[in-house]
Amino acid sequence: MNHLNHVAIIMDGNGRWGIKYKKSRNAGHRAGLDTVEKIIKHSIKKKIKYLTLFAFSTENWKRPKSEINYLFKLLEFFISEKIDELNKENIKIKIIGSKNLNKKIFKLLNYAEKKTENNNKIQVNLALNYGSRNEIITSIKKIIKNKIRVNEKNFEKFLFTKNIPDPDILIRTGNKNRLSNFLLWQLSYSEIFFEKKLWPDFNEKDFEIIIKKFKRIKRNFGSI
Ligand code: FPP
């Protein structure tokens, strides 16, 4: 049976859920945050050591300003209101993505990382202002600047995910079968699960079904 160490999730479908049930995309994001909390708790229960959540992509800046503002308000709420609880639960928060954000958010993210840096029950990586192609190009530029050999090991040293093992599983909710510029390098050998449910409807049972399926997969990593 496979050991499950790292789960990555594209939390898609908030907007559609919000429109369907509350006539507001932002209401879908709010409901999505409840699912985030549920899935973190369940990951701890399952002894998963890394959970990477795609919270905001570099492409999401194309959305209406009101939606962008709401998403960052939610992030602010999540960090400032929940940080003590997360810390008590021994959860380490790590941001992957460019922190080139407004000063208040930048400070808050650094505060959350610093406060939880020695925790070790689970590491929750929040992918924020994250784009995989940009991450790859940035790493290559750094290799050139540092005049070091181009190989996989050196390349990975300059990724946001440095020292984080590759995801075993990628889950994408929301009935869309694509990667959307998420962890393109890191997902090379991950098992991918596309889930029809919208993110706010995704629950522990759905997660459990995926975990069970994953455990039984024969993973070859290119071998036979
Ligand atoms: C994609 O759904 C979801 C996002 C761009 C944001 C994800 C944010 C959350 C789950 C809540 C906040 C989380 C944290 C950690 C603070 P979509 O809006 O693209 O859905 P759609 O495809 O139905 O439009």
Side-chain angles (χ1 to χ4, degrees):
M1 287 238 275
N2 298 315
H3 175 66
L4 182 53
N5 192 42
H6 185 175
V7 175
I9 308 184
I10 301 177
M11 310 179 286
D12 194 21
N14 288 348
R16 278 166 285 159
W17 189 96
I19 295 292
K20 186 171 172 194
Y21 295 104
K22 312 264 180 193
K23 294 190 172 62
S24 141
R25 290 183 53 84
N26 286 348
H29 293 308
R30 180 62 195 83
L33 185 58
D34 292 338
T35 306
V36 166
E37 292 186 44
K38 260 190 247 171
I39 295 305
I40 293 177
K41 283 202 180 103
H42 197 68
S43 299
I44 293 175
K45 207 169 144 193
K46 300 309 291 183
K47 300 192 164 49
I48 291 163
K49 297 307 278 182
Y50 299 88
L51 177 66
T52 302
L53 301 172
F54 204 4
F56 195 87
S57 75
T58 44
E59 288 73 30
N60 287 151
W61 293 109
K62 294 179 202 155
R63 295 189 176 203
K65 219 169 176 308
S66 57
E67 184 167 336
I68 294 172
N69 288 343
Y70 188 80
L71 279 166
F72 280 96
K73 278 271 161 270
L74 266 188
L75 175 72
E76 219 181 298
F77 164 77
F78 178 66
I79 301 281
S80 52
E81 296 293 316
K82 306 278 174 173
I83 192 66
D84 288 335
E85 197 182 319
L86 295 166
N87 193 37
K88 236 189 252 157
E89 293 289 335
N90 201 5
I91 295 169
K92 175 173 175 172
I93 298 288
K94 160 122 183 98
I95 307 302
I96 64 167
S98 164
K99 282 198 207 142
N100 189 10
L101 298 161
N102 84 45
K103 236 189 192 160
K104 193 175 171 197
I105 299 278
F106 177 81
K107 271 191 175 169
L108 199 61
L109 296 176
N110 283 343
Y111 169 74
E113 285 191 320
K114 190 94 197 103
K115 191 173 171 92
T116 62
E117 70 184 347
N118 295 319
N119 293 346
N120 60 14
K121 188 160 252 168
I122 188 171
Q123 178 168 326
V124 176
N125 305 308
L126 290 179
L128 267 179
N129 198 13
Y130 175 85
S132 187
R133 287 181 173 181
N134 176 265
E135 180 187 34
I136 288 169
I137 296 293
T138 305
S139 172
I140 293 168
K141 281 184 180 164
K142 285 182 182 162
I143 287 186
I144 294 169
K145 199 172 163 205
N146 285 280
K147 296 194 172 91
I148 54 174
R149 275 187 69 170
V150 181
N151 58 32
E152 291 188 13
K153 217 169 143 207
N154 283 339
F155 173 77
E156 286 178 345
K157 279 183 197 158
F158 298 108
L159 297 176
F160 290 119
T161 51
K162 177 187 170 202
N163 297 331
I164 300 173
D166 289 341
D168 299 297
I169 288 184
L170 169 75
I171 300 170
R172 181 182 186 132
T173 59
N175 203 19
K176 295 276 187 291
N177 303 349
R178 53 183 178 242
L179 296 180
S180 300
N181 202 13
F182 187 49
L183 301 176
L184 301 178
W185 171 273
Q186 297 87 340
L187 293 174
S188 295
Y189 283 99
S190 309
E191 305 296 332
I192 301 184
F193 294 86
F194 292 112
E195 164 69 48
K196 286 198 167 58
K197 278 193 178 178
L198 305 173
W199 177 248
D201 287 330
F202 188 73
N203 60 35
E204 295 89 340
K205 259 194 183 162
D206 303 313
F207 194 17
E208 199 55 48
I209 290 169
I210 290 173
I211 293 172
K212 282 218 172 88
K213 276 190 194 157
F214 165 79
K215 295 223 160 167
R216 291 177 194 285
I217 291 171
K218 186 170 179 285
R219 301 182 85 195
N220 290 338
F221 298 98
S223 175
I224 52 169

